[in-house]
Amino acid sequence: MLEGLMQHDYPLTLQHLLERFRGMNGDGEVVTLTEGGAERATYAEVGERVDRLCRALESLGVGPGDRVATFGWNSQRHLEAYMAAPSMGAVLHTLNIRLFADQLVYVVNHAQDRVVLVDASLVGPLEELAPKLEPVRHYVVMGDGATSLPGAVSYEELLEAQPGGYDYPELDDRQAAGLCYTSGTTGNPKGVLYSHRSNVLHAVTACLADAIGMSRTDRVMPVVPMFHANAWGLPYAAALVGADLVMPTRFMQPESLARLIEQERVTLAGAVPTIWLDLLRYADREGADLSSMRMVVSGGSAVPRSLMEAFEERHRVRIIQAWGMTETSPLGSVARPPRGAEGEEHWAFRATAGRPTPLVEVRIVDDAGDELPWDGQTEGELECRGPWVAREYFGDPAGAEKFHDGWLRTGDVASIDPRGYIRISDRAKDVIKSGGEWISSVILETELMAHPAVAEAAVIAKPDDRWQERPLACVVLEEGAQAEPDELLEHLGGRVATWWRPDAIAYIEEVPKTSVGKFDKKVLRKRLEEGGLEVVELRAPEREPAGSSG
């Protein structure tokens, strides 16, 4: 082998992002929304505080590989932890602030967190659980307020006590940098352990024009929580290119977000569809100024086409759908239409999960694990692999079934067309099996939410003696709106196959959400099982599901 004469040993670590962040991008700005207004700091100033935080963590006994947990909102201090813990050789563990108490205790103990950085507004839950958080030695409170946490110290006082500067260690880019636990699994949450290399490559790819396309001229607002899959990599991508960051902290109501966008001239933002649905209603009603926004990245669940069209037509804001998982860091694919696609074809591509980003490979397989063709029709389970895709879970051999021959099993049912566009029809656990054929709950939900009276819709399987399962539509109506069941069925006519149309509808006040804002269908399934849903039965499908005679 003739080896190339390149510097192959150059480490791809987050220290490189930190140096760009504080040096050549030092005039960048991070804005943090507070009750009293907005706090501002340049990236150079934040970099100096990162040095002090590294020294502070060291003074608390944090060493190489130790886990440093955060329990906080999107803020400047959280960003400092993002940069400091990995750069000093420790591991950043972002705790989901919305986990149930038992799950929170499990992940802290499983991760063996030594230090927890907690926002002052969030100390309450930890005060109750502290006796059960056995490995934690120190709590560092970010912000003002009294607390009964054992041995708690003030973040600001801790930093002020440190001298400036820090001698950063030499790191291997394959060593662990971050830890995030999945929230949507059955059983205990599963830990995904990111490396420096995976985070750096993910940040570089996120900035590509066919991905998120972030540049130094952007002002980026991560609404997606920093405890969820590195806030989709937005903070690290911003550090790499020098884009400004606008942090909403806990003020994520539509009015607050609209005001922040207008005042700070946000150009790029990321959040789950429910956030944008709420903001659209507010903007339509109040006439919010969203003119600075060039693009919104949305994912976590299928983005309704009606939502994308409404933002573009009424506010000139483009929503780009992306797909990924905690296990994929999370960016896996982005839905940008091909050259020349116009009209209906353009929107059809926008409604897909998109094409895999560079360096990510995908395939679909059948139940036997055999690869299926990319013909845009054949469906199977979506699998993926790449340099920022997990190969196993942290300290959890029970999760081995999620990995197959070096590929991650996503649990999504999908087809792929010859150009690589992925169309996800459902989660494997949510797909409705009726008369031997699949019905996509995702497509039904998307079409139901295109009705002007429907605010949210979640479709689950209802047991059926004849067909095994039939769709039940759980519908939330817009405030003051009405839509009779027959009207909703009529609306679905021509949009989906006749036999796909729900046999029953339940009007509910709100679709339950997971800790990261996705529809939590297992709660609805349990309510159905326990008789907690008021179900309106509709007429039976006009024809039998295809293939049912077999």
Side-chain angles (χ1 to χ4, degrees):
M1 179 186 75
L2 180 63
E3 184 174 329
L5 302 179
M6 296 291 104
Q7 297 176 10
H8 297 139
D9 294 331
Y10 182 86
L12 301 178
T13 72
L14 293 174
Q15 289 176 346
H16 177 70
L17 270 63
L18 174 58
E19 286 310 306
R20 289 180 65 90
F21 172 84
R22 70 193 306 160
M24 60 190 295
N25 297 329
D27 60 348
E29 182 182 48
V30 56
V31 180
T32 302
L33 186 60
T34 67
E35 288 183 353
E39 296 179 351
R40 301 175 187 275
T42 66
Y43 284 170
E45 291 169 338
V46 173
E48 194 272 337
R49 287 169 58 85
V50 169
D51 291 345
R52 294 177 184 273
L53 179 55
C54 290
R55 286 186 178 273
L57 291 172
E58 228 174 43
S59 74
L60 297 178
V62 173
D66 286 341
R67 269 70 79 194
V68 175
T70 58
F71 196 72
W73 307 103
N74 294 9
S75 68
Q76 176 189 320
R77 293 184 179 110
H78 208 158
L79 178 66
E80 291 163 1
Y82 257 55
M83 305 306 295
S87 294
M88 68 180 290
V91 179
L92 177 76
H93 176 202
T94 52
L95 290 169
N96 187 331
I97 66 175
R98 301 189 183 106
L99 285 179
F100 295 119
D102 289 347
Q103 292 176 316
L104 189 57
V105 170
Y106 172 81
V107 298
V108 170
N109 291 338
H110 185 267
Q112 291 291 294
D113 295 326
R114 291 182 63 84
V115 175
V116 179
L117 310 181
V118 52
D119 271 333
S121 64
L122 296 170
V123 296
L126 292 188
E127 286 174 335
E128 296 179 15
L129 299 177
K132 300 179 181 179
L133 307 182
E134 299 171 359
V136 178
R137 298 292 176 263
H138 301 280
Y139 294 92
V140 181
V141 180
M142 300 184 290
D144 300 325
T147 178
S148 62
L149 284 169
V153 294
S154 162
Y155 184 92
E156 292 302 327
E157 291 178 5
L158 197 58
L159 262 61
E160 288 173 7
Q162 310 304 319
Y166 182 73
D167 186 15
Y168 288 90
E170 187 173 316
L171 302 177
D172 187 311
D173 62 11
R174 285 172 169 76
Q175 74 185 69
L179 178 62
C180 185
Y181 282 74
T182 60
S183 58
T185 57
T186 55
N188 290 322
K190 306 289 191 295
V192 180
L193 193 60
Y194 308 114
S195 68
H196 282 263
R197 181 175 182 268
S198 71
N199 277 341
V200 170
L201 289 173
H202 185 274
V204 170
T205 301
C207 294
L208 295 177
D210 276 343
I212 295 175
M214 189 188 300
S215 78
R216 194 180 181 208
T217 61
D218 278 313
R219 288 176 67 79
V220 182
M221 185 176 70
V223 184
V224 55
M226 292 176 78
F227 60 70
H228 180 52
N230 292 333
W232 297 352
L234 296 176
Y236 288 140
L240 180 68
V241 299
D244 295 338
L245 283 167
V246 180
M247 302 296 202
T249 60
R250 65 180 183 275
F251 304 103
M252 293 184 285
Q253 300 78 16
E255 182 178 359
S256 297
L257 293 178
R259 187 184 307 115
L260 198 56
I261 291 169
E262 180 176 354
Q263 293 177 350
E264 298 299 331
R265 308 310 292 165
V266 171
T267 64
L268 176 65
V272 295
T274 50
I275 293 289
W276 303 121
L277 282 164
D278 290 343
L279 183 59
L280 176 65
R281 294 186 196 105
Y282 177 83
D284 286 346
R285 186 175 66 250
E286 304 295 336
D289 179 8
L290 307 179
S291 60
S292 64
M293 296 275 286
R294 70 170 182 85
M295 195 177 81
V296 161
V297 182
S298 192
S301 58
V303 183
R305 173 174 163 176
S306 57
L307 174 67
M308 293 189 283
E309 289 178 328
F311 260 108
E312 205 149 320
E313 292 169 1
R314 302 204 288 271
H315 300 282
R316 298 184 179 179
V317 174
R318 176 175 247 208
I319 295 182
I320 293 292
Q321 181 162 209
W323 170 87
M325 309 167 66
T326 303
E327 292 90 335
T328 65
S329 296
L331 194 60
S333 64
V334 181
R336 290 185 178 272
R339 181 174 51 248
E342 296 180 356
E344 183 63 28
E345 185 185 26
H346 169 91
W347 285 108
F349 281 111
R350 291 274 296 277
T352 69
R355 299 201 324 158
T357 61
L359 303 182
V360 171
E361 298 179 54
V362 297
R363 68 180 186 181
I364 48 174
V365 298
D366 61 19
D367 290 343
D370 294 327
E371 193 164 351
L372 297 170
W374 290 20
D375 57 12
Q377 301 295 324
T378 305
E379 290 192 332
E381 183 177 9
L382 181 67
E383 296 186 339
C384 68
R385 65 182 180 185
W388 54 80
V389 178
R391 72 170 186 263
E392 61 183 89
Y393 291 120
F394 173 60
D396 192 348
E401 63 182 20
K402 284 281 289 184
F403 305 93
H404 170 221
D405 291 341
W407 294 75
L408 169 72
R409 299 179 60 189
T410 69
D412 284 325
V413 177
S415 62
I416 308 175
D417 78 8
R419 286 187 280 191
Y421 283 88
I422 304 164
R423 185 173 296 277
I424 295 173
S425 60
D426 221 328
R427 293 288 292 165
K429 62 185 179 183
D430 292 333
V431 71
I432 299 163
K433 196 86 177 272
S434 185
E437 297 289 337
W438 286 352
I439 296 175
S440 168
S441 67
V442 170
I443 292 175
L444 282 174
E445 288 160 3
T446 299
E447 297 300 344
L448 282 166
M449 285 190 284
H451 191 286
V454 176
E456 294 179 334
V459 177
I460 60 174
K462 182 171 71 73
D464 186 90
D465 291 339
R466 184 181 184 192
W467 303 117
Q468 184 182 358
E469 294 177 344
R470 291 295 300 157
L472 167 64
C474 300
V475 173
V476 180
L477 296 178
E478 294 280 5
E479 187 175 353
Q482 290 186 334
E484 295 298 323
D486 286 346
E487 180 183 341
L488 294 178
L489 280 184
E490 185 71 22
H491 167 77
L492 291 175
R495 292 172 176 262
V496 300
T498 303
W499 64 274
W500 274 34
R501 294 192 297 179
D503 287 3
I505 287 181
Y507 292 97
I508 58 178
E509 293 185 0
E510 182 184 8
V511 175
K513 311 292 193 307
T514 68
S515 60
V516 293
K518 300 179 184 179
F519 288 175
D520 196 345
K521 296 186 186 180
K522 65 178 179 293
V523 174
L524 290 173
R525 285 191 284 264
K526 185 174 182 181
R527 285 173 60 183
L528 175 65
E529 183 181 344
E530 296 175 350
L533 290 176
E534 188 173 335
V535 176
V536 180
E537 298 289 344
L538 306 175
R539 59 178 180 268
E542 296 177 11
R543 69 177 181 86
E544 296 183 353
S548 61
S549 59

